[in-house]
């Protein structure tokens, strides 16, 4: 493994771009290979077996593509697949759950922490367990928000529809008196202005991207090293679905012209629905 090799980043869609964007901020010399599994988005309604299979297939591709480290930029697969992936592969793989949890524990003053995430992530109980393992005294208020990911994938991050969806989703956890809210899905930071407006100034939003990239930096520093500032650097973007909608929505969200070069690449995904006779 050499410092010049790229960093792999994956998610079900555009959500992982919130982490990729943070990599470009904290580690501007690094090159990114991004895979968005847009043919299977949303991940939040899928089974644990499917999620492990999707993540495993994508990580296999990113390793074949020569990445020196991988960020699982999806809370849903970080919640259910990360231990399996870390055991199977020698390449370091960083998830988003623990960095988000650590940041939330630093931020909270009243020990009442909300977690918004996909249905599968909330069902896994990963955030609550990680919070309580580090700080048994905190109270955790989880809430699944299945309406958010489809909105972000459409590029809708403001306006009345988004405001109504966010207000409806947040009502029960705001009533619980939280002072800190983990954005436990990498799509959600794109909704942060609306979420902050609805939650009010007394609630600190935690986007796990910053702490995740901090961990990536440590992993690289301890391992094969950070890339030097020299040489040409070009990120690569792949999706399993329609590259045009990904590049258009992605460019709107993060403003990167290079997303126009997004390529469609279907990996060797098993068709779970067919196999289970449900298709
Ligand atoms: N962005 C992902 C996450 O962090 C997945 C969202 C989805 O596809 O449901 O959970």
């Amino acid at each position: 493994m050499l410092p010049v090799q790229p960093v792999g980043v994956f998610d079900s869609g555009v959500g992982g771009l919130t982490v990729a964007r943070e990599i470009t901020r904290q580690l501007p010399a690094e090159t990114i290979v991004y895979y968005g599994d847009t043919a299977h988005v949303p991940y939040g309604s899928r089974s644990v077996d499917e999620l492990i299979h999707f993540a495993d297939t994508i990580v296999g591709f990113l390793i074949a593509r020569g990445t020196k480290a991988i960020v699982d930029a999806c809370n849903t697969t970080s919640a259910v697949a990360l231990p399996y992936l870390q055991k199977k592969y020698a390449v370091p793989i960083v998830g988003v759950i623990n960095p988000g949890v650590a940041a939330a524990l630093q931020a909270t003053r009243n020990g009442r922490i909300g977690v918004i995430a996909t249905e599968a992530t909330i069902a896994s109980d990963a955030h609550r367990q990680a919070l309580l393992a580090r700080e048994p005294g905190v109270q955790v208020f989880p809430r699944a928000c299945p309406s958010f990911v489809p909105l972000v994938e459409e590029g809708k991050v403001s306006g009345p529809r988004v405001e109504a969806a966010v207000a409806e989703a947040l009502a029960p956890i705001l009533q619980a008196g939280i002072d800190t809210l983990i954005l436990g899905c990498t799509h959600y930071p794109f909704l942060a202005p609306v979420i902050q407006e609805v939650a009010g100034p007394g609630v600190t939003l935690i986007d796990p991207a910053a702490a995740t990239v901090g961990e990536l930096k440590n992993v690289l520093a301890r391992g094969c090293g950070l890339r030097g500032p020299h040489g040409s650097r070009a990120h690569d973007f792949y999706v399993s679905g329609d590259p045009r909608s990904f590049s258009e929505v992605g460019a709107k969200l993060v403003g990167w012209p290079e997303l126009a070069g997004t390529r469609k690449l279907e990996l060797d995904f098993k068709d779970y629905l067919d196999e289970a006779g449900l298709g």
Side-chain angles (χ1 to χ4, degrees), residues 101-114 131 135 137-139 177-181 202 204 206:
V101 158
L105 288 172
Q106 287 211 327
T108 189
R109 295 163 308 280
N110 71 2
R112 299 171 79 81
I113 300 173
L131 284 161
E135 190 52 72
V138 294
Q139 282 183 282
I178 58 165
D179 75 349
T180 303
L181 179 60
T204 303
I206 303 294

Side-chain angles (χ1 to χ4, degrees), residues 83-150:
Y84 171 87
L85 299 170
Q86 288 173 330
K87 201 166 160 205
K88 177 167 176 179
Y89 297 103
V91 169
I93 305 173
V94 175
V96 280
I97 304 259
N98 284 330
V101 158
L105 288 172
Q106 287 211 327
T108 189
R109 295 163 308 280
N110 71 2
R112 299 171 79 81
I113 300 173
V115 180
I116 50 172
T118 69
E119 300 124 287
T121 301
I122 296 299
S124 78
D125 205 27
H127 287 93
R128 202 181 63 86
Q129 286 175 19
L131 284 161
L132 292 176
R134 287 165 188 246
E135 190 52 72
V138 294
Q139 282 183 282
V140 186
F141 301 90
R143 177 81 167 148
C145 304
S147 63
F148 288 8
V149 168

Side-chain angles (χ1 to χ4, degrees), residues 229-249:
H230 309 295
S232 67
R233 180 180 60 80
H235 306 309
D236 273 321
F237 300 93
Y238 299 93
V239 289
S240 50
D242 175 19
R244 187 126 62 100
S245 73
F246 177 86
S247 60
E248 283 173 6
V249 171

